[in-house]
Amino acid sequence: MKLNVTSYGRLPTYAKCTRCKGKALVHLPSHHANFCNECFLVFFRNAVKRAMKLFPLRPRDPIMVAVSGGKDSLALWSVLTELGYYTKGLHIDLGIPGFSEASREASKQFARSRNLELSFYSLKDLFGFSLLDIRSRTHRMICSVCGMLKRQFLNRLAIQEGFSIVATGHNLDDEASRLMGNILRHRESYLAKAYPYLPAMPGVASRIKPLFRLESEEIRIYCQIQNISYVKDRCPFSKGATSHIFLESLEFLESKMPGTKRDFLFGYLETKRPPTSDETPGERCSICGAISYRNICGVCRIKEELTKRDGRIVKGKAT
Ligand code: AMP
Ligand code: ZN
């Protein structure tokens, strides 16, 4: 069979678009579909519209988009804008040498090219320590520390800027691999939060994941068609992260049985109801006031640990 190897996968030269019957350029095995570029964009936007219907938002609600400079969050920002939502981007410079500079530049360049508003913050200013500082001072898993800091600061900054909705670029692969990890380890409390929408509470913005129906590869294709330049490297601090191992295992299953990832995630979500605000912890951190299951929230506990350690280092030098 003669193959037309496009950058979007292997397609026979005569393949027709499933939607308009024109020449297909995109091959999506998990959907048993081929698309021309225009129809792929319709498919992509429909997947986001379908996700947005699941979230109890009003059409005019402003959305703060958490922008990392990677393909997912830039595609998210682009598609929400195309669908007519009012958005503002928010980028946190995490202080990861080399990677953070590139991430900031990609976010800035995208905002400039589309004439979109983007706020910048730095973790060092917000928290007193960059991710590099934290990595060199603690033995904790850096990816989970980073995730916790991002969640809390994205929320705090969105509220500070007057937004009650934060959108992140988590995609189907992220959600399916996280679900796999949590099921394998029987992490019930994490499973309770395995929903692409978390409700707002006083002082807490709702969190939405509008790309949860789209695979990583579909987002890559969208960026290519829409000419979006993004940071292609993985975060250098995430090398060896267990989330990558779960993702690779799912990729293997997907390559043998296309559609496995979506069946796994969507099948699970069908058994769940959207979480309501009374199911989330009502306790507040006694230091910073953030919603927390414990008296002191995770972020303040890390800060205490880092500060104490600093104190010991300074004392050690003086004596
Ligand atoms: P990650 O935790 O790197 O898998 O990223 C998940 C999502 O969090 C991204 O799609 C973004 O929406 C958001 N995000 C990650 N890093 C940043 C950052 N430095 N600033 C703002 N949002 C971020
Ligand atoms: Zn706290």
Side-chain angles (χ1 to χ4, degrees):
M1 183 166 58
K2 202 170 161 214
L3 287 175
N4 173 17
V5 181
T6 67
S7 46
Y8 312 140
R10 292 166 73 82
L11 267 177
T13 42
Y14 52 78
K16 285 196 170 36
C17 170
T18 310
R19 202 166 157 267
C20 75
K21 310 296 172 216
K23 186 171 162 39
L25 289 169
V26 183
H27 177 47
L28 301 182
S30 65
H31 292 275
H32 308 290
N34 301 320
F35 290 119
C36 67
N37 287 356
E38 273 314 304
C39 291
F40 174 80
L41 293 178
V42 173
F43 153 85
F44 193 93
R45 290 183 198 121
N46 282 342
V48 176
K49 281 189 204 164
R50 196 166 164 197
M52 294 299 279
K53 276 200 193 136
L54 198 69
F55 315 142
L57 311 182
R58 287 165 306 211
R60 297 209 147 276
D61 282 342
I63 301 175
M64 184 126 253
V65 183
V67 180
S68 66
K71 70 178 191 330
D72 303 313
S73 53
L74 292 183
L76 169 65
W77 203 6
S78 167
V79 71
L80 288 181
T81 311
E82 284 169 3
L83 294 178
Y85 287 94
Y86 170 72
T87 61
K88 183 174 181 183
L90 191 157
H91 176 80
I92 302 178
D93 182 334
L94 299 166
I96 302 167
F99 184 73
S100 288
E101 289 79 1
S103 307
R104 194 179 55 228
E105 269 320 296
S107 309
K108 212 187 258 181
Q109 207 235 315
F110 178 82
R112 205 180 302 131
S113 71
R114 313 278 162 124
N115 217 4
L116 293 167
E117 260 187 289
L118 175 65
S119 291
F120 283 97
Y121 296 89
S122 107
L123 185 66
K124 182 107 184 170
D125 296 341
L126 294 165
F127 185 62
F129 299 93
S130 69
L131 217 58
L132 179 67
D133 297 335
I134 300 170
R135 196 177 72 147
S136 58
R137 283 162 215 242
T138 168
H139 297 298
R140 287 176 185 246
M141 306 265 282
I142 196 71
C143 290
S144 57
V145 173
C146 178
M148 189 196 296
L149 291 168
K150 276 188 296 204
R151 258 191 316 279
Q152 192 168 122
F153 285 111
L154 286 173
N155 177 64
R156 202 181 288 178
L157 296 167
I159 296 283
Q160 209 170 290
E161 293 214 16
F163 285 74
S164 60
I165 304 162
V166 176
T168 56
H170 293 96
N171 61 37
L172 193 152
D173 300 55
D174 298 327
E175 296 302 289
S177 54
R178 193 198 317 238
L179 178 63
M180 188 184 196
N182 288 334
I183 287 180
L184 286 178
R185 291 152 162 170
H186 305 286
R187 288 185 167 162
E188 294 302 326
S189 64
Y190 288 94
L191 285 170
K193 284 187 265 174
Y195 203 81
Y197 160 78
L198 288 176
M201 281 177 289
V204 182
S206 68
R207 288 215 311 269
I208 60 172
K209 297 175 182 172
L211 299 186
F212 84 93
R213 306 192 67 87
L214 288 154
E215 291 176 37
S216 189
E217 180 60 8
E218 291 160 359
I219 296 169
R220 193 188 66 76
I221 295 168
Y222 174 85
C223 287
Q224 193 162 336
I225 295 175
Q226 297 294 55
N227 234 341
I228 297 175
S229 316
Y230 56 87
V231 175
K232 295 195 175 64
D233 298 334
R234 265 188 178 168
C235 168
F237 287 5
S238 75
K239 277 202 187 93
T242 48
S243 59
H244 297 175
I245 302 170
F246 289 125
L247 185 56
E248 278 162 26
S249 321
L250 268 177
E251 291 300 354
F252 172 76
L253 296 173
E254 182 75 26
S255 69
K256 301 286 172 200
M257 299 172 285
T260 300
K261 276 186 296 196
R262 65 184 52 246
D263 290 347
F264 175 56
L265 180 67
F266 298 169
Y268 182 81
L269 291 178
E270 271 168 24
T271 66
K272 296 259 177 193
R273 327 171 260 111
T276 54
S277 45
D278 46 284
E279 288 169 49
T280 33
E283 299 283 318
R284 300 266 167 186
C285 168
S286 58
I287 298 177
C288 73
I291 292 278
S292 169
Y293 282 102
R294 293 163 72 166
N295 178 34
I296 298 181
C297 76
V299 168
C300 288
R301 270 183 282 137
I302 297 172
K303 178 116 189 205
E304 277 190 342
E305 197 180 303
L306 295 167
T307 319
K308 265 189 209 145
R309 206 181 164 87
D310 260 7
R312 274 206 303 276
I313 293 166
V314 173
K315 236 190 203 151
K317 269 186 187 161
T319 50

